[in-house]
């Protein structure tokens, strides 16, 4: 039971950090995910990790990063 609780707390913190670092297409999505995780810590975290990619901005690759890869 303690291991489950520790895992939930780690995932919950990870979700908060990810929400803060990520850029969303609409700022309202960021707020809604934050509220979802606060109100429903376990289920909200699972929902966040399942659906958050659809609402985030895609990272654009610029020519400088391509040159660095080559």
């Amino acid at each position: 039971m303690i291991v489950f609780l520790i895992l939930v707390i780690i995932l919950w913190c990870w979700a908060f950090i990810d929400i803060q670092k990520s850029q969303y297409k609409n700022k309202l999505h960021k707020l809604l995910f934050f509220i979802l995780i606060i109100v429903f810590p376990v289920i909200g975290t699972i929902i966040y990790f399942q659906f958050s990619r659809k609402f985030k901005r895609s990272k654009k690759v610029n020519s400088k990063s391509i040159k660095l890869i080559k």
Side-chain angles (χ1 to χ4, degrees), residues 2-59:
I2 293 174
V3 173
F4 177 73
L5 183 63
I6 291 172
L7 181 62
V8 168
I9 292 170
I10 290 171
L11 287 175
W12 197 54
C13 291
W14 185 9
F16 278 121
I17 292 169
D18 192 54
I19 289 172
Q20 290 299 317
K21 286 185 175 183
S22 299
Q23 292 183 355
Y24 290 87
K25 296 175 185 175
N26 187 346
K27 294 197 182 233
L28 180 63
H29 293 138
K30 189 176 215 177
L31 178 65
L32 291 175
F33 278 128
F34 184 75
I35 292 170
L36 179 71
I37 292 173
I38 293 288
V39 175
F40 305 106
V42 177
I43 300 296
T45 302
I46 293 169
I47 292 170
Y48 171 72
F49 284 120
Q50 288 294 316
F51 297 105
S52 65
R53 288 186 205 140
K54 294 179 184 179
F55 300 103
K56 292 180 182 178
R57 288 185 184 168
S58 61
K59 294 181 181 177

